[in-house]
Amino acid sequence: FHQEDESFENKKTTVLYLLLISSKINNDSLFNIMQMVSKQTEGRFNVVPIAHSGAWIQEHLWEYQGFFQKVMIPENSIFQADVPTVIHWHKEQLYSDTCAMQYRDCNELFEKYKLLRSQEELKSNEGLGLILSALFYRIGTVFPYATLGYRPNDINIRILWKLCEYADPKVKNFAYLIQKLPFDFFEFINPHKNLYWNFCHLGEKHFPILDELAQGFIDLIDKQFDK
């Protein structure tokens, strides 16, 4: 439902955003698909896959119809099964306050993080990595919800981040901050990497970068709710 070209170190990659309608694809498989395509094409192509069953889409149309009605058009169809998925569209889209509540929770978590960062007598940075990984993952979920009218499932953060870039190309501007970090930012964000032990022991040199990155993303979300 979307295609764009990216260039890095004089190498071009074509990125394809895919909606897979299937009841046999789980969330873990999506990241495997992403990795497999990149490897088999030697980086010439990358895919950003999301997947839902036809029944799931139908059940959640009351909230996500705006998104699905935009992307599920004949021109975007790559493959159709012998028995196509038939969606019964509603005459109008209904809205819930779930997105606003998630936005509020995200902001409250960010305020908690800033409060801890402001403590001059904080003897240890222990736990801040866990808060940050949760914060960025929540941002990655809330942002497509606020901009596209679509709340992703619990998918890999790399897919979430690409969805955020699709929702607003300004997210790509954060790449220069990510490149300043001496560790894999996306591995760091994955919650389980910080849940049982620290993926990286954060030092004072890391926090200004992470602070700016978090604040910049929060500012983008704020603009969606200021409209």
Side-chain angles (χ1 to χ4, degrees), residues 119-151:
Q119 301 299 311
E120 296 182 359
E121 298 181 359
L122 196 64
K123 296 181 180 179
S124 170
N125 293 327
E126 181 61 33
L128 290 180
L130 187 58
I131 293 176
L132 280 169
S133 60
L135 176 63
F136 282 116
Y137 199 94
R138 289 189 187 187
I139 291 173
T141 302
V142 173
F143 194 69
Y145 200 6
T147 52
L148 303 175
Y150 168 69
R151 180 176 59 176

Side-chain angles (χ1 to χ4, degrees), residues 172-186:
K172 296 179 182 180
N173 296 335
F174 298 138
Y176 83 96
L177 290 170
I178 294 174
Q179 291 168 6
K180 287 183 177 181
L181 294 169
F183 52 83
D184 188 325
F185 173 69
F186 296 104

